Amino acid sequence: MKTIVHKANSRGYANHGWLQANHSFSFANFYNPEKIHFGALRVLNDDVIAPKMGFGTHPHDNMEIITIPLKGVLKHRDNMHNAWQPILPGEVQVMSAGTGIQHSEINGSDTEHLSLFQIWIIPNKSNVKPRYDQKAFSEDNRKNKLQTLVTSMEDNHIGSLKIHQDAVISRIDMDKDNSFEYQLKYSNSGVYVMNVYGNITIGNNTLGTRDAIGISETETFQVVANDNSGLLLIEVPMNF
């Protein structure tokens, strides 16, 4: 098993006043030649956005974009929808930028900060028709068990959102002293594990809150929760 550990304090950080941004991979003004991507995973941003603030209309193309609000209210609008679409904690949004899309994202609250993860995955098909989808996932369904959020368009998994890549995005909330074994779905894939909160052990590596580990060249790995912990797992092709 091959691993690479990214400690929380090694991420790129930008304080824009209205936006506190942590970048797991090179993004905007943060550049680290050793942190360009993990396989097809290009971006994992951990953002906190001030009330009533956000990103104005901007373009994307040929990227699969997944947004996971953790706290607060996210509102999204794009050139496929005239109305603002609210996205709440427990919901996940996917957007296939494809041939090109214009969208805006704002904090929908006047008083509360918005916290979210945004993930960009390099697609396996270029210039597809842009699309948007979102879905609510019950917190109860990831208590000490893996909850699948996103899978490939070609995957017959029922209940997950779909993207144009052989990827699997999952979450699990683990009680202290619990463990589970992750089985990779694809033989040429790796898994990027973000420890959202708590303390876990994978192999010989102990990870605190917002620490991450990239795992490849294995079919399975085991996670042990040293404390109550929440994990985000992103399985992606390593060769694409």
Side-chain angles (χ1 to χ4, degrees):
M1 183 169 76
K2 182 179 178 181
T3 60
I4 182 168
V5 174
H6 290 163
K7 288 293 190 178
N9 61 8
S10 73
R11 296 180 296 175
Y13 175 71
N15 182 351
H16 299 285
W18 64 273
L19 169 67
Q20 312 291 314
N22 289 280
H23 309 305
S24 293
F25 303 99
S26 295
F27 188 87
N29 292 328
F30 170 61
Y31 176 74
N32 182 332
E34 296 181 355
K35 290 185 175 183
I36 303 297
H37 60 90
F38 176 80
L41 174 60
R42 177 60 189 87
V43 167
L44 175 53
N45 288 345
D46 180 4
D47 292 343
V48 177
I49 301 169
K52 298 189 288 186
M53 304 300 289
F55 302 93
T57 303
H58 58 281
H60 292 285
D61 62 62
N62 289 320
M63 192 66 69
E64 301 296 304
I65 300 172
I66 302 96
T67 305
I68 303 175
L70 302 175
K71 181 181 178 182
V73 180
L74 171 66
K75 286 190 175 180
H76 163 99
R77 183 170 65 185
D78 58 48
N79 56 353
M80 295 182 290
H81 304 87
N82 291 323
W84 289 101
Q85 310 287 320
I87 310 158
L88 304 176
E91 294 184 303
V92 178
Q93 175 206 66
V94 296
M95 187 171 67
S96 298
T99 54
I101 194 168
Q102 299 269 343
H103 81 140
S104 309
E105 298 160 298
I106 64 168
N107 184 340
S109 171
D110 292 342
T111 58
E112 185 179 14
H113 279 72
L114 166 66
S115 174
L116 60 83
F117 285 123
Q118 187 164 96
I119 300 161
W120 295 10
I121 293 177
I122 299 167
N124 57 13
K125 294 180 180 177
S126 297
N127 299 321
V128 300
K129 182 180 178 181
R131 58 181 292 276
Y132 168 97
D133 200 2
Q134 71 183 72
K135 180 179 173 66
F137 294 87
S138 170
E139 186 176 349
D140 292 341
N141 290 337
R142 62 174 182 267
K143 187 69 169 177
N144 294 311
K145 59 184 177 181
L146 207 60
Q147 179 184 58
T148 303
L149 308 176
V150 177
T151 58
S152 167
M153 289 283 188
E154 287 72 37
D155 195 311
N156 60 8
H157 182 275
I158 296 173
S160 56
L161 294 163
K162 301 297 183 179
I163 61 171
H164 294 283
Q165 185 53 276
D166 292 332
V168 183
I169 300 177
S170 311
R171 290 182 72 179
I172 184 171
D173 293 337
M174 302 177 67
D175 290 332
K176 182 180 179 180
D177 298 327
N178 274 24
S179 65
F180 85 100
E181 184 175 69
Y182 186 94
Q183 175 77 45
L184 276 75
K185 184 174 182 65
Y186 299 101
S187 60
N188 67 337
S189 289
V191 183
Y192 196 80
V193 182
M194 168 64 73
N195 190 34
V196 180
Y197 66 89
N199 186 283
I200 62 170
T201 297
I202 299 177
N204 297 321
N205 301 285
T206 299
L207 307 177
T209 296
R210 293 309 206 263
D211 290 344
I213 184 171
I215 302 167
S216 58
E217 299 179 13
T218 187
E219 296 179 355
T220 65
F221 60 88
Q222 188 176 55
V223 181
V224 178
N226 307 315
D227 202 347
N228 293 341
S229 302
L231 285 68
L232 173 65
L233 302 99
I234 307 169
E235 179 176 340
V236 288
M238 297 306 290
N239 302 307
F240 57 94

